[in-house]
Structure formats: C-alpha cells, structure tokens
Amino acid sequence: MEPLERRLSSFSKWALIVLAFALAVLTAHNGLRMPWPAVPPASWWEWLYDAIEFGAVAVCVARAVARRSERFAWLSIALGLLSFSVADVYWTLVYQNADNVPYPSINDAMYLATYPFLYIGVGLLLRARVKSLPAGMWLDGLIGGLAVAAVGAALIFGKVVASTGGAPLTVATNLAYPLFDILLLGIVVGVLTATGWTLRGGWVLIGVGLAVFAVVDSIYLYQVALGTYVEDKLLDVGWPATMVLIAVAAWQRPARAARVQLEGWATFAVPVIAAITCLGLEFRDHYKHINVAALWLATACLLAVVARLAMSFRQNLRMLRKSQEEAVTDSLTGLSNRRGLVAEIEERLAEERPFTLAIYDLDGFKGYNDSFGHAAGDALLARMGRRLRASLPTGATGFRMGGDEFCVVASGGGRSAREAVGLGANCLTEVGEGFSIGCSHGSVTVPDEAPDGQQALVIADQRMYDHKGQGRPTPAVESKRVLLHALAERSGDLSVHVSDVGDLVEALGRELQLDHAQLVVLRQAAELHDVGKLAIPDSILDKPGPLDADEWAFMRRHTLIGERIVASAVSLRDAAPIVRATHERWDGAGYPDGTSGEQIPLAARIIAVCDAYDAITTTRPYRAASGHEDALAELRRCAGSQFDPRVVAAFERIMSSPPAERADSALGLSMPQAQVG
C-alpha cells in the first residue's frame, strides 16, 4: 500500500467511526426524542446533519484519490452526494428562516443534479466489476427496473401530480423529483437483477443506500403533497444515513471482476414476479384508474417480459441444437461419433440408398502413445480427423468410433465408393521420425452384402481384423498354408486347381448371399477339398486311362482322408464336413455317404459345381480340356441329377459377368488388403 493510500485509508476509517456515532446521535434525536443533559439549539442539529453529509462526501473523495481502480465511478458518486450536501447547506443558510422561498430555486437544481451523477457512478461500477453481461441479463435488469418504477409511480406519482400546479417550470420540477427517485430505485433493482444478485464487494451497502435514498425522498414528496410532512423526524435521518452507507461501501474491497452467467431460478423468478406485478397494476386500472406514467411503465415491463421469453426460447433452441451436435460429434477430431454413424446408416437405409461402409483401425498407435505420450497421440488423432474430413469426396462422410477406430460411409458400391475408402486409408496413415502409423480396414456394401446397419458393422469389423491379421497369420491361415504347400509339393497341378476353384466358389458364394463367416469357411473347404489326394498314389492320380473298380474305390476314399486331415487342425474343423461332402450328388448317387438334395451342405454343392467346371476346362492326363460354353452346357445337363439346379443357375449368372467383376468379387478373402477396393 502506498503512503498516500495508507494515510487516506486511516483517515477514512476514523472518519467513518465518527460519522457512525454522529448518525446514531442524530437518529436518537429525531426518532427517539431522547432528553439531553443540555439540549443544543435547533440550529446545532441542522449543522450536525450537514456535517454528516460532508463527512461522507469526504470519505468517497478519499477513496477516489487513494485507489486507481473504480476511481471515476467513486468520483462521480462523490460529486452527486456533494451536490445534494451543498443544496442542504444552501437551504440552511439562505432559505430556512426566509418568509418567501422561490420555487424552483438553485437548491432544486443542485438536488436534481445529484441523480445523473449517481446514475453514472453506478454504471461505471457495474462496468468495472462485471466483465460482460449477456443480453438476457440486461433485459432482466430492465424488467426489474420497470416493474419497480411502475409500482413506485402508481403509489407516489399520482399524488404528486395531483398537487402540482403553477408555471411550467414549477410543474416540471415537481414531476422531476418522483421520476428521478423512481428511476433510481429501478436502477438499483435492475443492476442487482442484471448481476444475478451478486451481493459482494459493497453492492449490498450501495444498493441499500440508494434504495433508502429513493424511498425516503419518495415518502417526503408524498407527505409534502398531502401536507403531512414534519421536519426533524426519523424520515430526515434517511438522507445522511444513505450517504454514510455509500461511504462505507466505498472502502469495501471490490469483488473480482466476474463473468455473470445466465443460470438458476433467479433468471426465471425476476421476469415472472415483474410480470405478475405489472399485470396486477393493469388489472387494477380497470377498476380504479392509476396514473398514466405507471400504466405506461407497466405496459413497457410486460413487453420486455415478452421479449425475454422470446430470447429465452431462442437460447433454448440454440442450446438444444448445440447439445444435439455435441451428442453426435467427437470433440477431439470434429468428426461424427458412433451415434452419428448409427444415425447416418439409418437415414441411408430409410432412403433405400446403397452405400459402402468401411471400418479402419490404426496400426502402431499404442506404440506411438507409449513413445510420445497421450497428448501427442491426441494430436495425431486430431490431425488425421482433419485430413479425413477435408479429403473425402462428396457423398462420403468420416466418423471416429472411439479410441483409434474410424469409419467412412460412401455412397454407392462401385469404383467411386472404393476410391473414397482408399482415400480414408491414406488419411489415416502418417510416417515421421521414429514412428510409422498405418491402418487396417475392411468394407461392406449395403444392402447387397448386409441387410441392416448392425450386420454391416459386424461384417466390416471382421474383414478389418482379417486385413489386420494379414501380417500376423491366424491359426486357420497358417494351417491352410501348410496343407496347400504340401499339396503343391505333391502335385503342382493340384495346387493350381484348388486356387482356381477357391476364386470361383467365393464369387459364387457372394452371388448366393452367404455372409462373411460362411464365405471364409467356404474358401477354406474349396482350397482344401482335394487335400485327401495326398494319400492317393501317383499311379492312380496320373493314370492316362480310365480307372478300374479297385482304383475308383481307392480314389473315393480321398474325401474321407481329406476330412480327417482338415479336422486335425482345430481352426479348420468347420471346413472338414464340407470337404467330406464335396463329391455327393443332388440325386444321392455320390460318395461317401450317398446324401442327396438339401441334406448336402450348401458349401459342398457350390464346390461341386465349381470343381466340375474347372475340371472340364482343364487338361487332364486322360482327356483334353473343353471350352467355356461346353462346360456350362455340361453343368446345365447335369443340373437336377449331379448338381443343385439353383447353384448351377447362380454359377451361370456370375460367369456371364465381365471377368474383371468376377475377379473383384473374389478378392475379399484371398487378398485381404484388396477387400476395400
């Protein structure tokens, strides 16, 4: 604390003690009429009254000089109180004993000058102590002020107006006092309402002081209008008491500047109470007319309440929209979240628009977090989210499903959708010094491959994990590779044959709408359906002529041998019974069990058709290869006897499509990295 501030603070402290004592003496004299040992003359009490007022002014000036903060606010308040005090002294010196007092006089000008200074000072305090006020708070303050002003006008203004007469300047002066008092009281209520009734840092003393000033002045005007005012009563203590309260408030530590929020019941209570009050005044006017000023103030208050309701409705709509956006938006990346994804899928399904859904999972992200920290990981995810949002073409939308998992939904299921999914993979890849982040992904076309969103997510997720497992083969993949390698060592022709059959059966399985899990098992069984031939001697496999009965009996054992070999790998057991049934016939004349029709697994029926087509179109030791049309003709001829007619018809459909489309259809399981196009 600087020396000047310390001295002024000490002066103000002792001055306030003296002022409080003097105010107590004046109150005892005016209100209690206490007997004094030696009663001072009447003029002594007038000078005590004036001394209290000037002492309060001195304390406010000391506050303005001592501290830079809120200096102009307290200087304006001090000037207002000084104007009032000078007017009182002037009245004591000039007019108290005069026989003829002019009206209006210089006193009235100084009294009325008090109000603008107080208004300005309160406004400057409000500006200094509140960082910002929302428009709704300003409107609440206006509503509270108008309501109080309307009540005050209804109670006081009418009586004052009724007693007013004479020259225009006299009438204007008589009307100015109640108007300024009502406005002052309205400002007090308005400021408290606008600040959310933040009663800290001297606001209580300031508010009470100004309210007492306005109320006392209004009562004085009311009594003068009725001719009932008596000097030196308790009412006269109100003005110096106001000044002492404000002087005490001047040296209160101001509350830290705060940002007032629109919240709580107070913001609801003020407009409601004000509206009920003003409606009561309007209702009373129907039965007993109130003055025009009160009526207009009440009407203005009701209009302000309507505006406040409209503003609240607009704010609620804005908050609702914001909460809805936040509910479907990932705060880190700005992409839509899982809720947004579900809503997008439902909307596209409702509009019956085909679309492609791709799921991405970052590879190496955990190691990145461990090396660089979670803050760096969040920054990486945010960068990827921005790239994804900026790079996707029209009709494609990116989502963050949580953690390091993302999703892209693209319109259609053709090349443009595959390009969008590929762009998504590029956006979710980043390489830098000491790190390399990639992504595994899987996609599904809706509704071609999945009838609803839930199944689409399951399929895409499974394909994503298939892709992720490409670098780390699953037990099923490893077991299949070992068996296929053994088959290739045994016979290169068999290795090529099972690969070709595998591509055909996958395309045919998709045509018959098998789900992803079924397609995986189908492909496994197709590629391993001849693994039992590992136990067949070369003399039988490579015999150029027809096989005899014993050789055929031995050859027909290869499906049983194949079943046992495949079943020995736990991860391939689902494919084993299909391998056993690949040489059953639709009419029941097949082997090894002689089952027929729908009793034969669908996967085995599919493999039988594709195996036969590949065998017919491939050169064998005992015959030459036939052409494509001849092979299809043979399949049609045997449909209903050897083959399932429905499977043959589906096979013809896929074989009538361009070869490139058939290749795309078969890439999903044989080459996981290509399943998203």
Side-chain angles (χ1 to χ4, degrees):
M1 184 181 294
E2 296 181 359
L4 177 60
E5 181 180 354
R6 187 181 298 109
R7 289 196 297 270
L8 290 175
S9 177
S10 178
F11 158 77
S12 297
K13 177 181 178 181
W14 288 106
L16 288 172
I17 293 174
V18 173
L19 289 175
F21 177 76
L23 184 63
V25 171
L26 183 64
T27 303
H29 172 264
N30 283 21
L32 304 178
R33 291 295 177 180
M34 292 179 61
W36 299 89
V39 179
S43 60
W44 189 90
W45 298 106
E46 295 291 342
W47 290 113
L48 178 62
Y49 177 99
D50 294 334
I52 294 173
E53 292 185 338
F54 275 98
V57 171
V59 172
C60 290
V61 171
R63 166 61 177 83
V65 173
R67 296 178 183 173
R68 181 175 299 178
S69 64
E70 302 177 354
R71 173 171 293 168
F72 291 107
W74 285 109
L75 186 60
S76 180
I77 292 173
L79 288 173
L81 299 182
L82 178 63
S83 179
F84 194 91
S85 301
V86 171
D88 276 343
V89 170
Y90 190 84
W91 172 268
T92 302
L93 292 175
V94 179
Y95 296 127
Q96 185 170 13
N97 299 315
D99 295 330
N100 186 18
V101 179
Y103 187 81
S105 65
I106 296 176
N107 275 65
D108 295 301
M110 288 188 288
Y111 281 136
L112 293 174
T114 301
Y115 295 97
F117 285 115
L118 293 180
Y119 300 158
I120 293 171
V122 172
L124 291 175
L125 280 180
L126 181 65
R127 181 180 179 184
R129 296 186 178 186
V130 179
K131 289 183 178 180
S132 65
L133 279 178
M137 300 298 279
W138 282 111
L139 195 52
D140 286 343
L142 177 63
I143 291 170
L146 286 172
V148 171
V151 173
L155 296 176
I156 299 169
F157 199 74
K159 296 295 182 182
V160 176
V161 170
S163 65
T164 297
L169 188 58
T170 301
V171 174
T173 303
N174 282 338
L175 295 180
Y177 279 112
L179 282 175
F180 283 177
D181 285 330
I182 291 169
L183 179 58
L184 182 61
L185 191 59
I187 287 175
V188 172
V189 175
V191 168
L192 291 176
T193 302
T195 55
W197 298 88
T198 307
L199 306 178
R200 297 179 298 169
W203 274 123
V204 173
L205 295 173
I206 296 170
V208 171
L210 295 178
V212 168
F213 185 94
V215 171
V216 167
D217 211 51
S218 298
I219 295 174
Y220 167 77
L221 292 171
Y222 185 81
Q223 290 180 352
V224 169
L226 297 179
T228 59
Y229 172 70
V230 179
E231 291 184 352
D232 297 331
K233 294 291 186 181
L234 189 59
L235 182 67
D236 290 346
V237 181
W239 289 288
T242 290
M243 296 190 183
V244 172
L245 287 172
I246 294 175
V248 174
W251 285 91
Q252 298 294 306
R253 183 179 298 276
R256 181 183 300 177
R259 188 180 301 277
V260 179
Q261 301 293 331
L262 280 168
E263 59 184 15
W265 283 98
T267 58
F268 172 79
V270 171
V272 169
I273 294 173
I276 293 174
T277 301
C278 291
L279 283 174
L281 292 176
E282 299 274 2
F283 182 77
R284 176 179 172 79
D285 182 64
H286 283 281
Y287 298 95
K288 185 177 180 180
H289 288 295
I290 60 176
N291 61 80
V292 175
L295 191 61
W296 278 107
L297 287 169
T299 303
C301 180
L302 291 174
L303 291 175
V305 170
V306 172
R308 184 68 177 90
L309 291 175
M311 181 180 293
S312 297
F313 181 73
R314 181 183 177 187
Q315 290 170 344
N316 288 337
L317 286 180
R318 189 183 298 117
M319 287 189 292
L320 179 61
R321 285 194 296 267
K322 184 178 179 180
S323 64
Q324 289 173 336
E325 291 175 0
E326 290 176 348
V328 296
T329 302
D330 175 60
S331 59
L332 181 62
T333 62
L335 299 170
S336 292
N337 58 18
R338 182 179 286 273
R339 287 183 179 178
L341 172 62
V342 173
E344 177 77 10
I345 292 174
E346 291 177 351
E347 180 180 347
R348 289 178 181 259
L349 287 173
E351 296 177 357
E352 298 183 353
R353 291 184 295 167
F355 62 91
T356 297
L357 183 148
I359 292 178
Y360 306 79
D361 188 77
L362 300 185
D363 297 327
F365 182 71
K366 183 180 183 302
Y368 183 92
N369 263 347
D370 294 341
S371 300
F372 300 99
H374 290 283
D378 289 345
L380 174 68
L381 293 175
R383 290 197 301 273
M384 289 181 167
R386 288 194 297 270
R387 286 201 299 267
L388 190 62
R389 191 168 59 252
S391 302
L392 291 177
T394 303
T397 307
F399 303 84
R400 183 188 176 206
M401 300 176 68
D404 60 350
E405 196 169 37
F406 293 80
C407 181
V408 167
V409 175
S411 299
R415 182 179 299 276
S416 61
R418 292 195 296 271
E419 289 176 352
V421 173
L423 275 175
N426 292 335
C427 293
L428 299 175
T429 301
E430 186 168 321
V431 178
E433 186 175 352
F435 74 92
S436 177
I437 304 296
C439 67
S440 301
H441 47 286
S443 68
V444 60
T445 302
V446 183
D448 294 344
E449 296 180 293
D452 55 50
Q454 186 63 35
Q455 190 168 345
L457 288 170
V458 171
I459 294 175
D461 194 62
Q462 182 59 52
R463 291 178 180 177
M464 180 270 293
Y465 278 107
D466 287 343
H467 187 193
K468 187 179 287 289
Q470 177 186 335
R472 302 185 301 275
T474 63
V477 171
E478 289 183 332
S479 299
K480 187 178 72 172
R481 284 179 181 176
V482 169
L483 294 175
L484 290 178
H485 185 73
L487 197 61
E489 291 294 327
R490 176 72 166 76
S491 172
D493 291 340
L494 281 178
S495 176
V496 174
H497 169 64
V498 297
S499 177
D500 291 343
V501 172
D503 290 341
L504 287 174
V505 299
E506 186 175 337
L508 183 52
R510 293 184 186 277
E511 177 67 21
L512 292 171
Q513 298 184 349
L514 269 65
D515 62 31
H516 180 71
Q518 292 172 321
L519 287 173
V520 170
V521 175
L522 173 63
R523 178 95 192 192
Q524 291 170 348
E527 293 183 340
L528 297 174
H529 78 281
D530 277 340
V531 72
K533 290 181 180 179
L534 288 171
I536 305 299
D538 290 341
S539 59
I540 297 177
L541 282 178
D542 298 330
K543 185 177 180 178
L547 300 179
D548 60 30
D550 292 336
E551 291 170 335
W552 265 118
F554 202 91
M555 175 66 78
R556 287 174 177 172
R557 292 176 53 198
H558 83 273
T559 57
L560 299 174
I561 297 171
E563 179 190 28
R564 290 197 298 271
I565 292 174
V566 172
S568 65
V570 176
S571 57
L572 296 175
R573 282 184 177 175
D574 290 341
I578 299 173
V579 171
R580 179 189 180 101
T582 51
H583 285 270
E584 300 289 353
R585 289 172 53 106
W586 183 256
D587 58 7
Y591 62 86
D593 301 313
T595 54
S596 62
E598 298 289 343
Q599 295 178 338
I600 305 171
L602 175 59
R605 287 178 266 151
I606 292 172
I607 294 171
V609 171
C610 296
D611 184 37
Y613 175 85
D614 188 76
I616 293 172
T617 56
T618 301
T619 299
R620 295 294 175 90
Y622 48 86
R623 60 165 175 77
S626 299
H628 169 69
E629 293 299 331
D630 292 337
L632 291 180
E634 179 66 14
L635 292 177
R636 285 193 294 270
R637 185 182 68 81
C638 296
S641 56
Q642 184 175 351
F643 307 118
D644 181 349
R646 183 169 70 95
V647 175
V648 172
F651 186 81
E652 286 194 86
R653 288 197 300 273
I654 66 167
M655 296 306 292
S656 64
S657 62
E661 291 187 14
R662 293 201 304 272
D664 284 345
S665 174
L667 284 175
L669 298 174
S670 60
M671 297 180 65
Q673 69 274 19
Q675 66 192 30
V676 293

